[in-house]
Amino acid sequence: MESQIQHIHKQLLDKKISCVDLVQEKLSLLKENTHNTVNSLLTDLALERAALVDAKIANGETIGLLEGIPFGIKDVYMLQGTYTTASSDLLKNYKSAYTATAIQKLLDAGAIPIVKENCDSFGHGSSSENTIFGAVKNAVNPELVGGGSSGGSAVNVAKDYTIFSIGGDTGGSVRQPAGYNNVYGLKPTYGRISRYGLMAYASSTDCVGPLAKSVEDIRIVLNTMSGKDTKDQTTYTSKTIEEDSILNASNIKTVGYFKNFIESEAIDAQIKADFLATIEKIKAKGIEVKELDFFKSDILVSTYYTLAMAETASNLSRLDGTNYGDRIEDKNLKESYAITRSEKFSEETKRRIVGGNQVLSQGFSDEIYLKGLALRDAISENFEKDFEEVDIILSPVTPSRPPKIGDSLKDPLAMYLSDAYTVGFSLGHLPTLTIPQGTETGLQLTAAKNNDELVLKFANFLKDMI
């Protein structure tokens, strides 16, 4: 199977390239890039680890598959001793005291972190414009947004600045930028990968997700990061997905799609036409395709943002300049808290905190928040019924093409609505993979909980078919 990781691994073993040269090349590309993907380069750490890999090879020692492979980290993950800013003014000088479990597993496998990547501040956005480091520019057309919130991670993979990157997906933050930049991006089943060391946005839907240029590289990285973690009680033990197991998709007999997604007035005409053309190609391969009924897009978006804003208001209450981040002193403690949060949070983050506090406030929580929880349960039940009828659900990643830089900031509601096709799968805790095929912004493949292997199988099947 096509795999940059395997190709580089072989080159290192055959001594056709040195790890130090490879890492130095990627660092140079990142330093010179004009897409605003970099928050900080990990030059010393990366070159030190690369030299150790070269020494092992020179001594005839065995190296693992990921050993010496350069990768990027969305700047919301802890990596001990490095700046972890969340692209925010409040944390611009914050250094991690420990390393996130998912990142530690990659380090243990020998992978080399080379960059902390630009993103929407605290993951709040769908365009990677809400950042103190400047808007991330799309890999295909730099006048357009890079998508969000993991925009820097997606662009770095698309431009070959990293071999793979680790993003974070709460309501589509890996899948949407993957679609905007024509790469693969996976939101695994909730709990498959530990969230420990990932700055919390909405804890009930936050997922660690890889971005790469091939299904095989997604599989390799997913296997490495997966597993139960005593520091995250939502994690579980999962089976390793073998390479051979995703080569045969014969057990996928039925594919479904939500007709209201395709019949929506909001969907771009070309994305709709391309999606329906893909459906016909799938039918031509003898796979049954079923139309499914689902919640309307506006219900999905409002349910997701009700819960996500409530959780982010709670999670970010700890950031007041006392224990974390820069503090602005004022006449008393209360005023210091107020001015620090007012001046140091982005407009979008403040919008979400205010909305979340409103949702959770007395007199509103029963009417809004508890209703959101009930709708989330209903959405999950709907998915369970769907997967009694179909093996895979296929959907567009977004209803529209990536906007020009600046447009999303003028219309926050339009930004929220751009998540209409991704948030439902987050609420359902389902494994969902963006593939760079089928429409201009890709396709989403979704399977039932804990069926991550199935989405990789179907992605591999579609790779040569559409």
Side-chain angles (χ1 to χ4, degrees):
M1 288 179 68
E2 178 187 344
S3 166
Q4 281 188 299
I5 291 172
Q6 290 181 347
H7 176 67
I8 291 171
H9 177 68
K10 189 174 187 309
Q11 284 189 309
L12 288 170
L13 288 178
D14 293 343
K15 298 181 182 178
K16 291 182 178 177
I17 59 171
S18 79
C19 191
V20 167
D21 286 346
L22 171 66
V23 167
Q24 188 64 69
E25 177 196 348
K26 299 300 182 186
L27 288 169
S28 296
L29 290 171
L30 285 163
K31 188 175 183 180
E32 295 163 7
N33 102 85
T34 57
H35 289 261
N36 289 339
T37 62
V38 176
N39 286 4
S40 59
L41 290 177
L42 309 176
T43 304
D44 292 344
L45 174 64
L47 290 174
E48 179 183 318
R49 289 177 65 89
L52 293 175
V53 173
D54 283 338
K56 285 182 73 172
I57 294 170
N59 292 333
E61 297 177 45
T62 302
I63 64 167
L65 186 56
L66 278 175
E67 207 155 350
I69 305 297
F71 74 100
I73 305 171
K74 182 179 180 179
D75 202 8
V76 290
Y77 289 94
M78 301 297 166
L79 177 60
Q80 189 173 25
T82 69
Y83 287 104
T84 302
T85 72
S87 295
S88 70
D89 195 26
L90 183 65
L91 296 179
K92 64 185 177 185
N93 296 311
Y94 178 71
K95 280 194 173 182
S96 307
Y98 64 98
T99 297
T101 296
I103 304 304
Q104 187 61 56
K105 287 188 172 187
L106 292 169
L107 297 179
D108 293 344
I112 299 179
I114 59 174
V115 59
K116 286 297 209 56
E117 297 167 320
N118 199 359
C119 57
D120 284 299
S121 180
F122 295 107
H124 299 158
S126 304
S127 63
S128 292
E129 294 173 281
N130 299 297
T131 162
I132 62 168
F133 296 101
V136 174
K137 299 177 182 179
N138 190 283
V140 181
N141 180 352
E143 293 184 0
L144 307 180
V145 301
S149 59
S150 307
S153 304
V155 173
N156 280 341
V157 169
K159 299 294 288 184
D160 291 316
Y161 301 153
T162 60
I163 305 304
F164 67 90
S165 285
I166 305 304
D169 193 306
T170 304
S173 293
V174 162
R175 290 163 285 154
Q176 185 250 44
Y180 278 3
N181 294 282
N182 299 324
V183 298
Y184 290 88
L186 175 69
K187 184 199 82 65
T189 300
Y190 179 80
R192 185 183 179 100
I193 302 174
S194 173
R195 291 176 293 112
Y196 179 74
L198 164 63
M199 286 188 191
Y201 165 15
S203 305
S204 68
T205 55
D206 285 345
C207 288
V208 179
L211 298 106
K213 278 196 164 181
S214 70
V215 180
E216 177 63 3
D217 287 348
I218 293 285
R219 182 193 70 83
I220 293 167
V221 177
L222 174 65
N223 279 338
T224 303
M225 294 191 296
S226 297
K228 192 168 181 60
D229 180 15
T230 56
K231 298 184 180 101
D232 178 358
Q233 295 304 309
T234 63
T235 55
Y236 61 91
T237 302
S238 56
K239 291 183 179 178
T240 297
I241 301 172
E242 302 295 342
E243 182 178 356
D244 291 346
S245 70
I246 66 170
L247 295 177
N248 184 0
S250 60
N251 61 332
I252 298 174
K253 306 292 186 184
T254 312
V255 170
Y257 71 94
F258 297 125
K259 60 183 179 182
N260 59 303
F261 279 14
I262 306 308
E263 293 170 358
S264 168
E265 293 180 2
I267 192 170
D268 178 90
Q270 190 60 53
I271 289 177
K272 177 179 179 176
D274 290 344
F275 180 83
L276 292 174
T278 298
I279 291 294
E280 292 305 314
K281 291 178 183 178
I282 290 171
K283 286 180 181 177
K285 288 292 184 179
I287 295 174
E288 183 183 2
V289 177
K290 291 185 177 182
E291 290 184 347
L292 303 171
D293 291 314
F294 198 49
F295 290 82
K296 291 182 179 178
S297 298
D298 57 348
I299 293 176
L300 295 174
V301 172
S302 59
T303 301
Y304 168 76
Y305 275 104
T306 294
L307 300 178
M309 286 184 178
E311 291 185 40
T312 203
S314 176
N315 282 326
L316 293 189
S317 62
R318 73 194 76 173
L319 298 181
D320 54 24
T322 303
N323 295 313
Y324 310 98
D326 294 343
R327 179 174 179 169
I328 300 175
E329 296 289 350
D330 209 337
K331 54 193 173 188
N332 58 48
L333 188 61
K334 185 178 179 180
E335 292 299 320
S336 293
Y337 287 166
I339 195 169
T340 295
R341 289 168 66 83
S342 177
E343 296 292 326
K344 295 291 184 176
F345 280 140
S346 72
E347 291 303 311
E348 183 58 36
T349 293
K350 286 186 283 188
R351 188 179 293 117
R352 297 187 187 206
I353 290 173
V354 169
N357 284 330
Q358 175 79 1
V359 165
L360 293 172
S361 63
Q362 189 173 5
F364 287 93
S365 60
D366 288 354
E367 189 66 28
I368 303 175
Y369 181 66
L370 294 183
K371 192 172 286 185
L373 292 176
L375 274 169
R376 182 179 68 186
D377 291 343
I379 288 165
S380 293
E381 288 171 11
N382 200 107
F383 279 128
E384 288 177 11
K385 292 175 184 175
D386 288 335
F387 285 114
E388 290 173 3
E389 294 187 46
V390 302
D391 301 311
I392 291 283
I393 293 173
L394 192 70
S395 60
V397 179
T398 62
S400 54
R401 305 175 190 191
K404 286 187 176 181
I405 290 173
D407 288 356
S408 295
L409 298 179
K410 298 172 189 172
D411 190 353
L413 180 59
M415 179 181 69
Y416 299 157
L417 292 173
S418 73
D419 297 334
Y421 296 171
T422 56
V423 294
F425 304 123
S426 295
L427 293 168
H429 290 174
L430 305 176
T432 306
L433 174 71
T434 288
I435 64 171
Q437 296 164 279
T439 79
E440 186 177 324
T441 57
L443 294 171
Q444 282 184 113
L445 316 181
T446 305
K449 284 182 186 176
N450 307 325
N451 246 335
D452 303 62
E453 181 179 298
L454 203 62
V455 296
L456 298 183
K457 277 188 180 189
F458 198 56
N460 197 51
F461 170 74
L462 293 179
K463 179 166 59 74
D464 299 319
M465 195 201 83
I466 56 175

